[in-house]
Amino acid sequence: MKTIIGNWKMNGSRAKLAEMIADLSQIETQNRVVLCVPFTMLDIDSGTINLGAQDVSAHKSGAYTGEVSAEMIAEVGAKYVIVGHSERRMYHDETNDIVRAKAQMALENGITPIICVGETMDEKRAGKTMDVIEACVRESVPNDVHDDIIIAYEPRWAIGAGITPTTQEIADAHRVIADTLSYMGLDGTPILYGASVNVSNASDIVAIKNVGGLLIGGASLKSADLIPIIESVK
Ligand code: PEP
């Protein structure tokens, strides 16, 4: 079984999500499918499709205007939450420490955190990819994890860019993440690849060693794009 997660970002509507859930319920797949949608859609009845949020507060409750806590998203049905997406790291200055606190809040509320790690183009050009990824995993994953977590390797320069790393680069990144998780006692944690996945590259990417599934942005917004990807992933 592979894990396929759609990240709708700030797109869609409740009606569009209901349509997609109806479309997805027609297909047969062994894969775990999760749609990470805006907060306002999390209460929709989603059948066998899991819903997740795209961010969560690092705080339990209190004077944090505009933030939404893990307890609140759990209450409306979120089973998963993306933390540390590159857009949060870039536009909201989220550090590994903040990401770890968010992941911890998710775990404390029975929500599986999808922890995003990845290098910028400057870091890649400087030959720092593996060091950055390793540090991201060590510093963004909470201590003493006893429940499921998911790691998503998302090279930040490739998100929404229509380009992907080479097979070797993806394999190398996933090996470093798998080794780091193993050192932390977290063998078996699914490690997804994300950034510019589409129906033409999905099955090749999931065939790479240590790739446990996909995190998909743009191509998760329409059933016509997402369903062939889910069906191509065995
Ligand atoms: C993402 O934003 O997590 C992502 C993977 O986007 P895209 O697939 O559009 O590159």
Side-chain angles (χ1 to χ4, degrees), residues 5-9 82 85-87 116 152-155 158-163 193-198 214-220:
I5 301 179
N7 172 15
W8 274 25
K9 312 193 184 195
I82 297 173
H85 189 276
S86 88
E87 287 147 20
C116 298
Y153 169 56
E154 295 210 299
I159 294 178
I163 44 169
Y193 169 81
S196 295
V197 172
N198 57 46
L214 302 167
L215 177 52
I216 306 167
S220 72

Side-chain angles (χ1 to χ4, degrees), residues 156-173:
R156 293 169 62 172
W157 50 273
I159 294 178
I163 44 169
T164 54
T166 63
T167 300
Q168 190 60 51
E169 285 171 332
I170 296 175
D172 289 347

Side-chain angles (χ1 to χ4, degrees), residues 56-149:
V56 70
S57 178
H59 306 283
K60 199 172 160 56
S61 65
Y64 300 101
T65 302
E67 295 203 22
V68 180
S69 74
E71 188 179 355
M72 290 166 183
I73 63 171
E75 189 181 25
V76 289
K79 300 275 183 281
Y80 296 83
V81 63
I82 297 173
V83 290
H85 189 276
S86 88
E87 287 147 20
R88 302 288 319 173
R89 291 179 186 263
M90 182 165 50
Y91 302 134
H92 301 273
D93 295 328
E94 288 193 5
T95 59
N96 290 334
D97 286 347
I98 293 172
V99 174
R100 187 176 66 248
K102 291 184 171 199
Q104 181 67 40
M105 278 295 154
L107 288 166
E108 285 174 15
N109 286 277
I111 297 172
T112 301
I114 302 155
I115 303 169
C116 298
V117 303
E119 79 285 6
T120 63
M121 184 47 101
D122 284 350
E123 290 163 344
K124 178 178 165 59
R125 287 204 181 107
K128 293 185 183 155
T129 298
M130 299 306 151
D131 291 345
V132 168
I133 296 171
E134 197 209 320
C136 266
V137 174
R138 269 193 290 99
E139 294 169 15
S140 303
V141 172
N143 299 324
D144 276 338
V145 171
H146 299 293
D147 296 301
D148 289 346
I149 63 166

